[in-house]
Amino acid sequence: MNKPLRRIAIFCGLLILSLMIRDNWLQYVRADELNANEHNRRVEIERFAHERGNIITADGQTITGSTETSGNDFKYKRSWKDGPTWAPVTGYASQAFGATQLENLEDGILSGTDNRLFFDRTMSMFTGDKKKGGNVITTLNSKAQKAAFDGLGDKKGAVAAIDPRTGAILALASTPSYDPSTFAGNTSKDSKAYNALQKKVDPDDPMLNRALRQTYPPGSTFKVVTAAAALENGLYSGIDDPTKSPVPYILPDTDHQPLNNEGNIPCENATLKVALQWSCNTVFGKISADLGNDKMKAEAEKFGFNKEIFNPVRTDASVYPKDNRPQNAMAGIGQASNRATPLQMAMVASAVANDGKLMKPYMVDQLQAPNVDVLSKTQPEQMSQPMSAATAQKLQKMMEFVVTDGTGKAGQINGMTVGGKTGTAQHGVGNKDNPYAWFISYAKSGDGSPVAVAVVIEGSDTTRDDIAGGKLAAPIARDVMKAVLDGKK
Amino acid sequence: MSVVTNTTTIGAIEAPSRRNTELALLIFAVAIPVFAYANVGLAMTGKLPSGMLGYGLGLGLMAGVAHLVVRKFARYADPLLLPLATLLNGLGLVLIWRLDQSPRLIQRAKSAWGKFSPDAPHQLLYTAIGVALFVGVLLLLKDHRILQRYTYISMAVALFLLVLPMFFPAVNGAKIWISIPGLGTIQPGEFAKIIIAIFFSGYLMVKRDALALASRRFMGLYLPRGRDLGPILVIWALSILILVFETDLGTSLLFFGLFVVMLYVATERTSWIVFGLLMSAVGAVAVASFEPHVQSRVNAWLDPFACYTSDKTGACEQIGQAIMSFGSGGTLGTGLGQGNSDLIGFAANADFILSTVGEELGLAGMMALLLIYGLIVERGVRTALAARDPFGKLLAIGLSGAFALQVFVVAGGVMGLIPLTGMTMPFLAQGGSSVIANWALIGILIRISDTARRPAPAPAPSPDAEMTQVVRP
């Protein structure tokens, strides 16, 4: 009976061998794939198993934290200090609803899984330190952010502020806002809080990041771009040349459809400087029409229109479309199909303030390991040159004149040179909805400008005239600029 | 030395008993689980578990008693079987204890039954009963050939044990448990496995010549006469039918495999293998086509992650979780107490205990574990080879073949190699009947190996011996 016994022995050996091969297949060959499987809850468990790194402002304020939870699977949950103020910057990181914006984009560093933290992880394995995520040092200025958020108050709107010299984003506020801490966990309370914030439930859409993800008609603030296009293309050589523009200006290719000004202002044949001072629709509409759609579009694109910007958070593309002549004339005054994000308009102001150089906006300054070693530091980078330095200086003069003698007086700061431009964009068919109040500006001291800012306020029901931007938005811009300048002293 | 009266020139050479080897291996077999226990405690709570001393002493005591009994009553037994079984049982206890500490499983139990009771203490008790049964086997069964006498009785007992669960309600889709008030539940199939092997051995030993030789040739195969094959075929078919009605797939597969293996060994005819494989293929397709319980298992095997996208069936969820658990373990594993194999939830410490090994001890641990199982099977087959009587051979190969098949069916099912059929990993998984029955199985193997390795009795001294040595001048 020994021969069949030997064969059975071989058969049993094959059974065990096949188990071993299968196990190698699962645990060696497919290990990575299975470990990253979307249904594998271990990934999430690991993410929340230790304290998440923090997001920190440029002036050293920690704006996030971690709270220990009593839940079984996830030991820590994210918390935010002053969540509503910072939500447009950080995004959220929820156990149940995933993460957005910086919390999502820098998740590798924050959760400690990034390859750049390999050495750190290995070290802490030997030293027995608790695993912890790295930190993200942003470029944001906590005082400017607070000024922006407080300034917006209960109004619906957004503020974006940039350092024109580097492109560093100093403030990014959006109202109404939300507190990401309310749904950071995965309990039913969290999901109730999350659902209440959805647009379906809350028409104010508090989770919309208005500074980056909402485009508005830029209204008269766009006249800065139109003026830059006029000077760059040599339509006028100086800001004091008369523009040969009639009042009212009849839109091209239309059956005598007039483009009017807001109120009785001295616009007929006005110089560029005066036209910007009073925000003459007729002058800038004519400039846009004279230059034509291609040139206007090209100039707008140099300022960053028509493409998404990653700072690293995605910013919606602002739009200056290819269009027919009457629409193009309207786009030249920031109406019709022309749309811009608040960040985009802050970039316009910053390019002017920075002598024509547009720096690429960014909001992550440094990535730090848990032991505060710097892993990477963002170097400022020029994005484009929308205009020559000479043109920029002419525009500065004009914008500064708007603040001292024009519609933007509310933007004045004692002892500082401030340039600005107001805007009130029509909204809705036949202008029936409340208009958008805009203000873009920059402040300047001896060595260039440390801050450029754009403010937009939606649907305030106060006034409809062109001064609305000056009345509503300019004070907020002033407070934000002041907060930055005070910090410099 | 013992053969003082032996006057032949060549004495019987005594095979080394290897009892000291067994003792040395047993020390490892106890020490490794104790270290594992400490490891779990340190990983989960940061300090040595309070029960460690008691646990170590308990396991050591059981191993010591078993060893002393083997030393006294089966001194030529295979030295590997006891240490390997002890190591597996010890590791199983650690794993069950580790899963008892899982807050996820505690919460699950509380929400399902309103209370949580740890399984490890029960398992320790069952282990003690198992070792007691092992000792009992060695004490009572002086010679395994005694079992031949009970061929037909064991047939009756095996059938009785198999039928019994039909009168009890199904648990989780399978009617394989009987519940005795106050004692808990018993899985009679585990014991039936041993008893039916005894019946097959006894019957085949008697009828093997008739089966192998008195046969008619039919389509190239040698078919035995009905009167020889009939009874065994009936018993086998009955047991399979019962198990199918109880939807205990694993055990029916095991019985079928056992039957084919033993028939092949007894008759030495390869045609049995062909015949067996054909029958099993037909049976498997037939059962899979009408039994929904089986169909869901097969579907889960084909696509372990299907339930995440379409329907939510429990079986699929478990297999998907088990496979991810293996994958997450990777080469070296997360370390005991640091994995998340408890995500499997239901049956984490029973059918799926292997995925805890896979995740927390990794590929390395799994290889070691499979080798331990392989070694037990190999020692069993060696015992069969060394056995001097056909009954012992058949019983030893039956038991070790059943053991190998059970390991393959369970581990293959959990790892997604074959459809999941629901049996327990011998010694490792939580479950009283399994531990007790497998200790009995090891006891019988040790008894057979003791007989097999015992030195041949010295030739009786010849009455003429004195004469031949007398050299007269």
Side-chain angles (χ1 to χ4, degrees):
Chain A
M1 282 200 281
N2 282 353
K3 199 170 134 192
L5 278 179
R6 292 208 166 84
R7 290 208 178 125
I8 295 294
I10 292 170
F11 172 70
C12 291
L14 286 177
L15 287 185
I16 301 288
L17 185 69
S18 68
L19 288 178
M20 289 182 156
I21 292 172
R22 173 69 184 182
D23 195 35
N24 271 281
W25 170 249
L26 282 182
Q27 299 208 266
Y28 183 76
V29 180
R30 288 182 63 195
D32 291 340
E33 172 220 335
L34 289 171
N35 212 3
N37 190 298
E38 56 180 320
H39 308 302
N40 198 337
R41 212 167 147 71
R42 289 166 188 79
V43 182
E44 292 292 296
I45 290 172
E46 171 58 21
R47 176 192 303 280
F48 296 106
H50 44 80
E51 280 185 59
R52 198 170 164 84
N54 283 319
I55 298 179
I56 299 170
T57 66
D59 48 340
Q61 300 278 328
T62 305
I63 54 185
T64 57
S66 283
T67 334
E68 206 159 335
T69 66
S70 53
N72 270 345
D73 281 0
F74 302 143
K75 196 164 170 218
Y76 289 97
K77 72 174 183 184
R78 190 53 142 174
S79 62
W80 287 262
K81 290 167 195 157
D82 214 354
T85 309
W86 293 102
V89 177
T90 59
Y92 58 82
S94 160
Q95 292 173 349
F97 304 104
T100 56
Q101 300 199 38
L102 279 190
E103 294 279 12
N104 177 36
L105 293 164
E106 301 299 348
D107 186 66
I109 295 288
L110 291 169
S111 64
T113 54
D114 194 279
N115 283 337
R116 284 172 285 185
L117 292 171
F118 178 78
F119 180 72
D120 202 80
R121 279 202 300 272
T122 318
M123 281 308 288
S124 60
M125 216 162 78
F126 288 112
T127 56
D129 286 347
K130 254 201 323 200
K131 192 177 166 185
K132 197 173 178 296
N135 296 325
V136 172
I137 313 293
T138 64
T139 57
L140 283 121
N141 179 316
S142 62
K143 290 203 180 68
Q145 180 75 8
K146 193 165 161 31
F149 187 74
D150 292 350
L152 288 169
D154 52 7
K155 296 187 274 287
K156 221 191 267 186
V159 174
I162 304 179
D163 184 337
R165 299 166 300 183
T166 56
I169 293 175
L170 302 173
L172 211 57
S174 170
T175 52
S177 191
Y178 64 98
D179 186 353
S181 300
T182 57
F183 58 92
N186 62 348
T187 63
S188 57
K189 209 173 119 220
D190 291 284
S191 69
K192 210 180 283 171
Y194 179 78
N195 289 332
L197 290 169
Q198 298 306 301
K199 201 179 177 181
K200 295 191 291 282
V201 183
D202 186 346
D204 283 344
D205 201 5
M207 283 171 79
L208 173 67
N209 186 344
R210 291 177 165 78
L212 302 179
R213 301 281 170 85
Q214 176 73 308
T215 58
Y216 300 92
S220 302
T221 55
F222 192 77
K223 287 170 184 164
V224 176
V225 178
T226 310
L231 293 166
E232 279 294 286
N233 288 295
L235 192 63
Y236 305 106
S237 54
I239 58 173
D240 295 316
D241 296 357
T243 53
K244 296 177 200 144
S245 52
V247 173
Y249 171 68
I250 304 296
L251 288 174
D253 296 350
T254 62
D255 186 18
H256 295 282
Q257 193 168 334
L259 182 59
N260 285 313
N261 292 315
E262 293 283 338
N264 187 18
I265 45 176
C267 291
E268 193 169 354
N269 201 21
T271 63
L272 272 181
K273 189 174 159 189
V274 171
L276 200 73
Q277 178 191 0
W278 297 112
S279 198
C280 294
N281 291 341
T282 48
V283 176
F284 289 98
K286 181 174 183 293
I287 293 174
S288 183
D290 289 352
L291 286 170
N293 186 247
D294 287 346
K295 281 182 182 156
M296 281 301 292
K297 189 161 165 275
E299 185 63 26
E301 281 173 2
K302 280 191 211 164
F303 277 100
F305 278 71
N306 290 346
K307 68 167 186 274
E308 291 181 334
I309 294 159
F310 295 87
N311 63 36
V313 178
R314 184 181 64 84
T315 307
D316 273 3
S318 301
V319 184
Y320 193 98
K322 193 157 186 62
D323 226 329
N324 60 26
R325 290 187 67 210
Q327 286 284 100
N328 176 58
M330 290 293 285
I333 61 164
Q335 293 287 175
S337 46
N338 184 347
R339 300 187 74 83
T341 59
L343 180 72
Q344 173 63 64
M345 292 320 290
M347 285 159 67
V348 168
S350 82
V352 173
N354 196 35
D355 289 346
K357 271 194 215 121
L358 177 59
M359 302 302 286
K360 187 178 184 309
Y362 68 97
M363 58 196 240
V364 175
D365 180 40
Q366 285 177 24
L367 299 178
Q368 280 182 351
N371 61 1
V372 305
D373 280 350
V374 177
L375 298 170
S376 83
K377 184 166 168 59
T378 311
Q379 292 304 323
E381 191 183 329
Q382 190 176 337
M383 187 168 143
S384 64
Q385 174 99 33
M387 65 202 127
S388 66
T391 306
Q393 274 146 18
K394 285 175 194 165
L395 281 171
Q396 284 169 17
K397 256 183 220 145
M398 285 160 65
M399 284 177 75
E400 282 151 22
F401 191 59
V402 169
V403 172
T404 52
D405 297 278
T407 52
K409 283 178 186 155
Q412 286 171 359
I413 303 172
N414 272 342
M416 279 289 159
T417 313
V418 176
K421 180 72 195 86
T422 56
T424 305
Q426 293 173 7
H427 179 207
V429 177
N431 200 9
K432 71 175 168 52
D433 293 330
N434 291 321
Y436 299 119
W438 276 93
F439 192 71
I440 64 169
S441 65
Y442 62 86
K444 218 163 65 167
S445 57
D447 53 344
S449 162
V451 58
V453 59
V455 178
V456 63
I457 290 172
E458 272 180 53
S460 172
D461 46 6
T462 43
T463 43
R464 245 169 217 287
D465 61 20
D466 197 54
I467 319 294
K471 273 190 189 149
L472 291 170
I476 301 173
R478 182 196 59 212
D479 290 348
V480 172
M481 292 190 291
K482 233 169 113 45
V484 176
L485 294 168
D486 287 349
K488 299 278 166 200
K489 278 175 199 162
Chain B
M1 315 174 266
S2 58
V3 276
V4 183
T5 53
N6 186 5
T7 49
T8 49
T9 42
I10 302 168
I13 299 167
E14 205 169 320
S17 76
R18 301 280 188 221
R19 290 281 66 82
N20 293 332
T21 313
E22 181 181 84
L23 185 61
L25 288 173
L26 265 178
I27 290 170
F28 280 106
V30 172
I32 292 171
V34 169
F35 278 120
Y37 197 79
N39 188 347
V40 175
L42 287 173
M44 296 190 83
T45 59
K47 51 182 185 286
L48 287 173
S50 53
M52 195 175 134
L53 194 69
Y55 169 83
L57 284 177
L59 193 67
L61 199 68
M62 280 189 269
V65 167
H67 170 73
L68 287 178
V69 171
V70 171
R71 197 175 266 267
K72 178 89 174 105
F73 295 97
R75 58 184 304 240
Y76 294 99
D78 190 292
L80 252 63
L81 285 168
L82 180 62
L84 291 173
T86 308
L87 177 57
L88 284 177
N89 201 153
L91 282 176
L93 277 166
V94 170
L95 292 171
I96 292 163
W97 183 74
R98 176 258 175 278
L99 289 170
D100 279 344
Q101 315 298 310
S102 150
R104 221 172 269 141
L105 291 180
I106 291 174
Q107 200 184 38
R108 191 175 188 284
K110 276 184 181 155
S111 65
W113 301 293
K115 66 183 174 66
F116 168 78
S117 59
D119 286 318
H122 293 125
Q123 186 75 357
L124 196 62
L125 180 69
Y126 291 136
T127 305
I129 298 173
V131 172
L133 191 58
F134 171 86
V135 168
V137 166
L138 290 184
L139 289 181
L140 298 175
L141 192 66
K142 292 292 182 204
D143 186 337
H144 63 269
R145 279 168 293 191
I146 298 170
L147 290 172
Q148 282 180 73
R149 294 179 202 158
Y150 304 110
T151 303
Y152 291 94
I153 291 175
S154 52
M155 177 195 80
V157 172
L159 284 181
F160 174 71
L161 285 178
L162 288 172
V163 174
L164 210 52
M166 291 182 96
F167 303 107
F168 291 89
V171 182
N172 306 314
K175 286 188 149 198
I176 51 175
W177 279 273
I178 58 169
S179 51
I180 300 168
L183 275 178
T185 55
I186 290 180
Q187 226 175 319
E190 291 280 350
F191 297 97
K193 172 178 76 182
I194 300 174
I195 293 167
I196 212 148
I198 295 173
F199 162 66
F200 281 158
S201 313
Y203 185 85
L204 289 169
M205 189 203 69
V206 176
K207 298 277 182 171
R208 67 193 192 100
D209 289 337
L211 281 166
L213 302 172
S215 54
R216 278 164 302 185
R217 209 178 142 87
F218 178 72
M219 286 176 71
L221 290 171
Y222 290 93
L223 292 187
R225 293 179 305 186
R227 73 178 109 134
D228 299 324
L229 187 64
I232 202 167
L233 210 57
V234 167
I235 302 303
W236 167 74
L238 264 177
S239 56
I240 298 290
L241 275 178
I242 291 164
L243 293 171
V244 167
F245 284 118
E246 290 168 358
T247 59
D248 184 7
L249 299 164
T251 316
S252 43
L253 197 70
L254 180 71
F255 277 40
F256 185 81
L258 186 67
F259 170 65
V260 172
V261 163
M262 292 182 75
L263 208 51
Y264 170 63
V265 171
T267 60
E268 303 192 24
R269 288 216 179 267
T270 322
S271 51
W272 286 114
I273 301 282
V274 180
F275 206 59
L277 285 177
L278 277 174
M279 280 172 75
S280 69
V282 171
V285 170
V287 172
S289 59
F290 70 79
E291 180 64 66
H293 185 67
V294 182
Q295 281 168 351
S296 71
R297 293 275 170 91
V298 172
N299 290 338
W301 167 63
L302 290 173
D303 186 356
F305 299 116
C307 63
Y308 291 107
T309 44
S310 55
D311 67 313
K312 290 252 177 201
T313 55
C316 158
E317 171 85 33
Q318 283 184 328
I319 282 294
Q321 284 289 356
I323 287 181
M324 286 190 289
S325 157
F326 278 107
S328 295
T331 315
L332 292 175
T334 55
L336 280 171
Q338 296 176 67
N340 289 301
S341 56
D342 47 354
L343 282 172
I344 293 167
F346 168 69
N349 60 5
D351 299 30
F352 286 94
I353 198 154
L354 204 61
S355 52
T356 302
V357 179
E359 181 164 349
E360 304 201 337
L361 296 175
L363 181 61
M366 280 295 291
M367 288 296 107
L369 191 78
L370 290 172
L371 281 175
I372 292 172
Y373 280 113
L375 267 176
I376 291 185
V377 174
E378 187 262 354
R379 298 313 286 191
V381 176
R382 270 182 78 94
T383 300
L385 277 168
R388 294 175 193 142
D389 62 308
F391 177 78
K393 272 186 191 300
L394 281 169
L395 188 54
I397 194 69
L399 293 178
S400 40
F403 194 87
L405 276 172
Q406 185 163 356
V407 169
F408 176 74
V409 168
V410 184
V414 173
M415 288 195 281
L417 185 62
I418 56 169
L420 186 72
T421 49
M423 265 199 293
T424 50
M425 207 67 194
F427 292 115
L428 214 56
Q430 181 263 330
S433 349
S434 172
V435 168
I436 297 169
N438 282 306
W439 272 112
L441 186 150
I442 295 292
I444 296 172
L445 278 180
I446 283 195
R447 170 53 71 213
I448 300 172
S449 76
D450 172 53
T451 316
R453 296 178 74 244
R454 191 178 289 279
S462 159
D464 303 330
E466 288 298 321
M467 305 294 279
T468 54
Q469 288 219 329
V470 178
V471 179
R472 297 178 193 280

